[in-house]
Amino acid sequence: MTNFYALERGVEIVPKVTGAISIVASTFVARHITTTKQWREISLTNMMIFWISVVDIITSFFVYFMSSWMAPPSNLPHIYAAGTTARCTAQGFIAVFSFVYFSTSYTLLAVLYWLIVRRGWTQKQMEKKGTRLSFLLPPLLVALCFSVPPLFFQMYNPFNFICFINAFPGNCNDVDIPCTRGSAHSRDVSMILLSGYMILGNTAVILFMGLLICWVYKQEKKSDRYLPKGQEKNRKNTSSTAWQGVRFSAAYFFPYLVIYVTLCYDLAGRTTGGEGLSLDVSN
């Protein structure tokens, strides 16, 4: 017989472990960037990676490490739930903010790499204040556009092992708590927009990495006539660029693979009249 108590405890503990590991790793990355050069000398690419690491540290702590500790114990049967509605709302806000921030930042970082190689952007061009702001501000502004509106509709409620966009607090009807928070329609709209934007971001990352690889391949092919006989087909630069592009895309995509599957399954379940994976038990 399956020990559901043990499984539930594991589901709540695993994110705390992975969150702690992510905090340590991102801290090392941020520290390395800020200690190797003066603040004004940090390149635009490293500056973007620095802020990605900072947001990841905050997200890893408040969303994954804290996980169910932020959820109100009266709303979920989670073993370690010991938070309040306000803390749950804060966690949901940080979660949505970080997802959109990462999606936007990785997309712009891929665009920047393409501009450096394809358009020949120099360090001097990227040191201009306007250029820096055009790459550093959009992730913040877009993330706020996605994460602020759900606050006004009380959309941040317990969702699986964290607080996220959910129509109603989990099991609210079962513990004599009225389901007055949230809205099923607002939840569906928010999830569709969020899922679509994250998928769009991943598509853009793959697209610009592909364009970068194609450009390196074309440049390498042009130089074939200058190579010794037998080395014309040696595509070391193309292979190296392709491998870096795969790693870059994987660094963005795979950490959110489970989230993509969960969101898609949840939306598919609701589209067909099912319950999906959310904790909404009031419908």
Side-chain angles (χ1 to χ4, degrees), residues 143-162:
L144 288 175
C145 288
F146 273 86
S147 57
V148 170
L151 291 172
F152 297 99
F153 299 96
Q154 298 181 321
M155 295 301 301
Y156 293 127
N157 295 299
F159 183 97
N160 295 338
F161 64 89
I162 64 171

Side-chain angles (χ1 to χ4, degrees), residues 17-30:
V17 177
T18 57
I21 296 173
S22 184
I23 291 172
V24 174
S26 293
T27 300
F28 277 122
V29 172

Side-chain angles (χ1 to χ4, degrees), residues 197-234:
Y197 187 80
M198 293 175 67
I199 294 173
L200 179 64
N202 192 84
T203 303
V205 167
I206 296 175
L207 173 63
F208 279 97
M209 285 294 102
L211 291 174
L212 178 60
I213 295 169
C214 288
W215 172 252
V216 173
Y217 172 76
K218 288 180 180 179
Q219 294 300 108
E220 206 168 23
K221 193 174 181 180
K222 288 180 181 180
S223 64
D224 283 351
R225 57 182 175 176
Y226 302 108
L227 296 175
K229 188 176 181 180
Q231 295 186 10
E232 297 88 347
K233 304 301 182 181
N234 188 354

Side-chain angles (χ1 to χ4, degrees), residues 29-279:
V29 172
R31 182 179 180 277
H32 174 75
I33 292 174
T34 54
T35 55
T36 52
K37 290 186 177 181
Q38 296 294 327
W39 184 258
R40 293 182 179 180
E41 297 177 351
I42 299 176
S43 66
L44 179 56
T45 53
N46 282 348
M47 185 69 73
M48 294 178 70
I49 295 173
F50 169 78
W51 287 116
I52 289 174
S53 299
V54 170
V55 174
D56 183 68
I57 292 171
I58 297 172
T59 306
S60 297
F61 179 78
F62 288 103
V63 178
Y64 299 108
F65 183 76
M66 297 298 290
S67 58
S68 58
W69 284 337
M70 302 284 277
S74 58
N75 287 354
L76 282 174
H78 285 173
I79 305 165
Y80 303 111
T84 62
T85 300
R87 293 175 184 174
C88 183
T89 300
Q91 185 185 62
F93 174 86
I94 294 173
V96 173
F97 178 91
S98 65
F99 293 162
V100 178
Y101 185 91
F102 292 146
S103 179
T104 309
S105 293
Y106 273 105
T107 300
L108 290 177
L109 198 55
V111 173
L112 183 58
Y113 285 139
W114 179 78
L115 289 172
I116 293 172
V117 176
R118 180 66 177 85
R119 299 299 180 183
W121 275 29
T122 62
Q123 185 64 30
K124 188 175 181 180
Q125 286 178 293
M126 292 185 288
E127 287 177 353
K128 294 179 181 179
K129 187 176 181 180
T131 303
R132 289 197 169 225
L133 289 178
S134 64
F135 280 90
L136 295 175
L137 273 183
L140 173 64
L141 298 178
V142 176
L144 288 175
C145 288
F146 273 86
S147 57
V148 170
L151 291 172
F152 297 99
F153 299 96
Q154 298 181 321
M155 295 301 301
Y156 293 127
N157 295 299
F159 183 97
N160 295 338
F161 64 89
I162 64 171
C163 294
F164 197 64
I165 294 177
N166 199 18
F168 305 101
N171 300 332
C172 54
N173 284 335
D174 297 340
V175 289
D176 298 325
I177 299 177
C179 297
T180 57
R181 289 177 55 83
S183 162
H185 175 71
S186 298
R187 183 268 321 280
D188 292 340
V189 173
S190 299
M191 294 291 272
I192 290 173
L193 291 175
L194 181 60
S195 303
Y197 187 80
M198 293 175 67
I199 294 173
L200 179 64
N202 192 84
T203 303
V205 167
I206 296 175
L207 173 63
F208 279 97
M209 285 294 102
L211 291 174
L212 178 60
I213 295 169
C214 288
W215 172 252
V216 173
Y217 172 76
K218 288 180 180 179
Q219 294 300 108
E220 206 168 23
K221 193 174 181 180
K222 288 180 181 180
S223 64
D224 283 351
R225 57 182 175 176
Y226 302 108
L227 296 175
K229 188 176 181 180
Q231 295 186 10
E232 297 88 347
K233 304 301 182 181
N234 188 354
R235 306 289 183 218
K236 287 186 177 180
N237 291 334
T238 303
S239 300
S240 177
T241 305
W243 178 236
Q244 292 179 30
V246 169
R247 287 186 293 178
F248 182 87
S249 302
Y252 166 73
F253 179 74
F254 284 112
Y256 299 100
L257 180 60
V258 175
I259 296 174
Y260 284 144
V261 173
T262 301
L263 291 176
C264 292
Y265 188 86
D266 184 71
L267 291 173
R270 298 187 186 287
T271 303
T272 57
E275 291 297 325
L277 291 179
S278 116
L279 291 172

